[in-house]
Amino acid sequence: MPVPWFLLSLALGRSPIVLSLERLVGPQDTTHCSPGLSCHLWDSDILCLPGDIVPAPGPVLAPTHLQTELVLRCRKETYCDLCVRVAVHLAVHGHWEEPEDEEKFGGAADSGVEEPRNASLQAQVVLSFQAYPTARCVLLEVQVPAALVQFGQSVGSVVYDCFEAALGSEVRIWSYTQPRYEKELNLTQQLPALPWLNVSADGDNVHLVLNVSEEQHFGLSLYWNQVQGPPKPRWHKNLTGPQIITLNHTDLVPCLCIQVWPLEPDSVRTNICPFREDPRAHQNLWRAARLRLLTLQSWLLDAPCSLPAEAALCWQAPGGDPCQPLVPPLSWENVTVDKVLEFPLLKVHPNLCVQQVNSWEKLQLQECLWADSLGPLKDDVLLLETRGPQDNRSLCALEPSGCTSLPSKASTRAARLGEYLLQDLQSGQCLQLWDDDLGALWACPMDKYIHKRWALLWLACLLFAAALSLILLLKKDHAKGWLRLLKQDVRSGAAARGRAALLLYSADDSGFERLVGALASALCQLPLRVAVDLWSRREMSAQGPVAWFHAQRRQTLQEGGVVVLLFSPGAVALCSEWLQEGVSAPGAHGPHDAFRASLSCVLPDFLQGRAPGRYVGACFDRLLHPDSVPALFRTVPVFSLPSQLPDFLGALQQPRAPRPGRLQERAEQVSRALQPALDSYFHPPGTPAPGRGLGPGAGDGT
């Protein structure tokens, strides 16, 4: 729908340049060209198919420069559309091939070859225009007379009127010839936006301010603008009158764009993408990026927007040392979002990880893709084989201090075991990961050497224990007190080395969060190392909920721990929403809702049958019945607390569970610590308890 002139003047300003914009009358597109050239516009649009680059048969016309100008296409004197005029500058590229006869006989060429050199040049020039949600391609036929054909010289330009575009939209223009002899030209331009659409910041929130009349009905849409492929809609709503839409800063990404249009037939849609240069948006983009393994050797990068990035393999040794890039011998690879990449590997290994860096060579993402399928990191040594001329080769072992040549007299672990590693390599006990003309990579196990050293250490400990027992037999009275102290030290040490447990819950309200905190504190008194987002708010805010949970889950499972899903009415509602829709509306919950963020990683484990032994469920007696938990999550034990505390604690302990009497004692200890929080949460009879009635299966308080 045409835009009134006063709105255009508000958007474009009152400068003399704007007021003197040329006005075109009529809806028809036209073309004109420089003096001496002839040009013609095809009657209808064509398909946008650039095709492959082909060799030029001789001199050809090629686009060398694109130039745009804003004009107005007016249906009435006061109702006009903003239009983009495009000028394509052309030049003669290429040259005639010299005839073989002319080279051989010193210029005695057939007179018939002179005719094409004196002929005019013709070209079909394509203009491709894209401005969400429209895309067009037009074809211009251009002819240059022979008198203007000079190699490498500009012959003039052809002008197209014009491509209509909405205020505030981003337009992209490409130009090439058919057939295509050179790489296409491209140009991107941001058109001015209407002043009644404004973006402002307020702390961690972003406000979209729409100053329109109270009677105005309009549509508002948020979408991810994709460089390749159609835009991805994120949110849409029809509104009336002035509005202030609030977005959480965690929802911002560089390609998040806003589209506004009046709810009228054929209305012009205004598009702006205000977060392209926002540092928070770029940080959120990397936090949302994920590496996804497709097969054992192929993977892709999932991200909302395109990322200028490179990736390479690195070797992650256990112990927390930095991942060491395998460049060289391998090389960095350019990464495109949603494009499948393959590694030149013969075999895969859990210690192989992918490092993702952006164009400023800053590490942004690292993930060990094969850790879930092949198990935790192994204490293996990576050997790098370098092959030189005349079948010469050298070997070195990759260590945190560098690559240690083998054999070597250095004091590193690999140097001390160098002879054994070379023997294992020659006997075929090492796994070959990569092979090339220039070298190879081998992973050699170190377990057997570590076991030998532990066997000697255990033997020494046994001898020491025997000698100590002999001394204690001679001094029985002193031995009783010493053994009592030793028993206490062993218990405290076992508690410090207890099993890891990650506690996940839905933050229904502040009272329920206090109840979860009390449960986590009570479990910490047992041989358990409990992780919960309540104690890691600052870390989770810095990393983002999804990244924080992913790191905690991977660490917990790699250490043989267990993930506890604490179900409440709100958690059941979230699970049901995910199972029905697979996605939830952005910004519906706060930035610390780790349970919502964790569902994207938890659900695959349940759907693929990997949850038993790694997950347990729990709920509180008076708040939720275990039968209300979705059936998918009941494939693992779901305990009701505190009535089933002994069974719950037994599931959390190491595979070697304590004696039943000891387990009952621990259950009573946890119950006593938990009871004050339960009494505070569940009010006396007749008073409604906080959190009740929030979802299916909420208890009645009896």
Side-chain angles (χ1 to χ4, degrees):
M1 187 184 80
V3 181
W5 169 248
F6 81 92
L7 284 181
L8 282 174
S9 64
L10 285 175
L12 302 176
R14 288 292 184 179
S15 66
I17 297 177
V18 172
L19 292 177
S20 62
L21 286 182
E22 182 179 346
R23 298 193 182 194
L24 306 178
V25 180
Q28 296 299 324
D29 297 340
T30 60
T31 184
H32 59 276
C33 45
S34 301
L37 307 184
S38 61
C39 51
H40 170 69
L41 173 65
W42 275 39
D43 295 335
S44 59
D45 291 359
I46 64 172
L47 294 176
C48 302
L49 300 174
D52 297 328
I53 297 179
V54 298
V60 294
L61 289 177
T64 59
H65 179 61
L66 288 176
Q67 190 174 358
T68 61
E69 179 185 2
L70 294 181
V71 296
L72 300 177
R73 170 169 286 170
C74 301
R75 271 68 170 177
K76 297 180 182 180
E77 184 177 355
T78 58
Y79 278 80
C80 304
D81 283 330
L82 194 62
C83 216
V84 181
R85 171 183 287 168
V86 183
V88 185
H89 296 264
L90 303 171
V92 178
H93 289 180
H95 56 83
W96 291 109
E97 296 290 340
E98 293 294 337
E100 294 182 2
D101 293 343
E102 184 176 347
E103 295 178 359
K104 183 175 181 180
F105 299 106
D110 190 353
S111 60
V113 301
E114 295 295 332
E115 181 178 355
R117 298 194 181 199
N118 296 327
S120 61
L121 288 182
Q122 294 182 351
Q124 291 184 335
V125 180
V126 177
L127 279 177
S128 175
F129 178 87
Q130 188 178 68
Y132 179 77
T134 61
R136 294 182 58 198
C137 279
V138 297
L139 182 64
L140 311 176
E141 291 185 338
V142 185
Q143 184 171 0
V144 180
L148 297 180
V149 177
Q150 298 183 10
F151 303 136
Q153 299 296 320
S154 174
V155 297
S157 62
V158 57
V159 179
Y160 171 76
D161 284 327
C162 59
F163 294 111
E164 294 184 9
L167 288 165
S169 62
E170 180 186 76
V171 299
R172 297 175 182 174
I173 303 171
W174 293 268
S175 179
Y176 51 90
T177 59
Q178 281 190 346
R180 186 159 66 100
Y181 302 116
E182 297 180 0
K183 185 179 179 180
E184 66 269 16
L185 296 178
N186 65 83
L187 176 67
T188 301
Q189 183 175 0
Q190 181 70 48
L191 300 186
L194 289 176
W196 42 263
L197 177 59
N198 188 27
V199 179
S200 63
D202 181 15
D204 288 341
N205 296 324
V206 175
H207 298 310
L208 307 181
V209 182
L210 296 102
N211 295 318
V212 299
S213 62
E214 294 183 359
E215 298 82 11
Q216 178 68 59
H217 302 278
F218 61 93
L220 179 67
S221 176
L222 303 180
Y223 63 93
W224 288 342
N225 191 26
Q226 304 295 302
V227 175
Q228 296 180 348
K232 296 181 179 179
R234 303 297 299 164
W235 185 82
H236 166 79
K237 197 169 186 179
N238 294 333
L239 303 169
T240 302
Q243 295 284 341
I244 298 179
I245 310 298
T246 301
L247 300 177
N248 194 290
H249 73 96
T250 58
D251 298 327
L252 304 184
V253 290
C255 63
L256 179 64
C257 299
I258 307 161
Q259 185 181 80
V260 184
W261 67 97
L263 295 179
E264 300 173 1
D266 301 326
S267 59
V268 176
R269 301 195 173 201
T270 300
N271 300 270
I272 61 172
C273 303
F275 308 112
R276 284 196 188 93
E277 307 301 329
D278 192 323
R280 294 180 302 178
H282 285 274
Q283 292 176 3
N284 293 336
L285 177 59
W286 279 108
R287 289 170 183 166
R290 288 291 173 269
L291 303 178
R292 183 155 58 92
L293 188 65
L294 301 178
T295 65
L296 285 181
Q297 293 180 324
S298 63
W299 62 282
L300 59 79
L301 173 65
D302 277 334
C305 315
S306 61
L307 285 170
E310 293 180 322
L313 286 175
C314 64
W315 180 263
Q316 179 64 66
D321 291 322
C323 197
Q324 297 174 278
L326 301 180
V327 180
L330 302 180
S331 60
W332 290 99
E333 298 289 341
N334 291 326
V335 178
T336 302
V337 174
D338 293 334
K339 181 180 179 181
V340 178
L341 296 176
E342 292 188 358
F343 293 118
L345 297 174
L346 301 176
K347 299 289 184 180
V348 293
H349 193 279
N351 293 28
L352 286 175
C353 304
V354 178
Q355 281 186 327
Q356 191 88 13
V357 298
N358 61 8
S359 55
W360 298 280
E361 298 184 356
K362 180 181 179 182
L363 179 62
Q364 294 283 6
L365 186 64
Q366 176 181 311
E367 192 160 350
C368 300
L369 296 177
W370 296 278
D372 287 340
S373 58
L374 300 182
L377 300 178
K378 295 183 178 180
D379 193 15
D380 292 357
V381 172
L382 186 69
L383 300 185
L384 278 68
E385 178 184 351
T386 303
R387 297 167 183 165
Q390 300 180 355
D391 202 22
N392 292 330
R393 71 170 190 169
S394 61
L395 285 168
C396 68
L398 192 63
E399 295 186 285
S401 58
C403 206
T404 305
S405 299
L406 297 181
S408 172
K409 296 182 179 180
S411 59
T412 64
R413 184 181 70 162
R416 290 193 296 267
L417 300 175
E419 294 183 3
Y420 300 104
L421 292 174
L422 294 176
Q423 292 176 4
D424 289 346
L425 180 62
Q426 294 175 357
S427 62
Q429 298 184 40
C430 297
L431 179 66
Q432 187 174 20
L433 306 179
W434 172 78
D435 186 51
D436 192 90
D437 295 337
L438 301 179
L441 295 176
W442 305 82
C444 299
M446 297 285 290
D447 296 344
K448 57 183 179 181
Y449 305 115
I450 296 175
H451 292 161
K452 289 180 180 178
R453 296 175 63 185
W454 277 109
L456 295 175
L457 182 61
W458 276 112
L459 181 59
C461 291
L462 290 175
L463 292 176
F464 175 76
L468 186 61
S469 300
L470 181 61
I471 296 174
L472 293 177
L473 287 175
L474 299 177
K475 298 183 178 181
K476 291 184 179 180
D477 295 336
H478 298 287
K480 292 182 180 180
W482 185 86
L483 288 175
R484 188 180 300 108
L485 294 176
L486 179 62
K487 185 177 181 181
Q488 294 176 356
D489 291 341
V490 169
R491 287 182 177 179
S492 61
R497 297 187 300 272
R499 192 181 189 189
L502 175 60
L503 188 60
L504 298 178
Y505 68 99
S506 173
D508 291 2
D509 51 51
S510 58
F512 187 73
E513 284 190 324
R514 288 193 293 269
L515 185 57
V516 173
L519 176 62
S521 299
L523 294 178
C524 285
Q525 304 303 319
L526 307 179
L528 288 173
R529 290 179 288 114
V530 181
V532 63
D533 68 331
L534 280 172
W535 301 338
S536 306
R537 285 289 168 83
R538 180 174 298 178
E539 179 184 357
M540 189 169 64
S541 297
Q543 298 180 6
V546 176
W548 180 86
F549 167 73
H550 184 77
Q552 294 292 329
R553 168 188 167 274
R554 182 172 61 182
Q555 179 180 354
T556 300
L557 296 182
Q558 284 182 352
E559 295 177 358
V562 61
V563 179
V564 181
L565 302 178
L566 189 57
F567 289 99
S568 63
V572 170
L574 284 175
C575 294
S576 301
E577 179 183 343
W578 270 83
L579 293 174
Q580 292 173 5
E581 301 178 6
V583 70
S584 57
H589 289 252
H592 304 307
D593 194 348
F595 188 83
R596 171 177 288 268
S598 66
L599 287 178
S600 59
C601 297
V602 168
L603 282 176
D605 288 342
F606 281 87
L607 293 173
Q608 298 173 15
R610 300 196 304 261
R614 309 167 83 182
Y615 292 81
V616 297
C619 58
F620 291 106
D621 291 333
R622 299 171 59 189
L623 186 63
L624 188 75
H625 195 276
D627 292 341
S628 300
V629 176
L632 177 64
F633 296 96
R634 295 203 302 271
T635 55
V636 301
V638 179
F639 303 99
S640 185
L641 307 180
S643 60
Q644 296 180 334
L645 260 176
D647 296 334
F648 175 66
L649 297 182
L652 297 185
Q653 299 300 309
Q654 296 281 4
R656 236 177 243 181
R659 300 186 307 273
R662 179 62 176 161
L663 194 61
Q664 184 64 34
E665 178 184 344
R666 292 176 179 175
E668 293 175 357
Q669 177 184 350
V670 173
S671 180
R672 286 193 300 270
L674 191 60
Q675 195 59 45
L678 289 170
D679 294 339
S680 175
Y681 184 74
F682 294 106
H683 286 206
T687 303
R692 292 189 189 171
L694 295 178
D700 57 3
T702 59

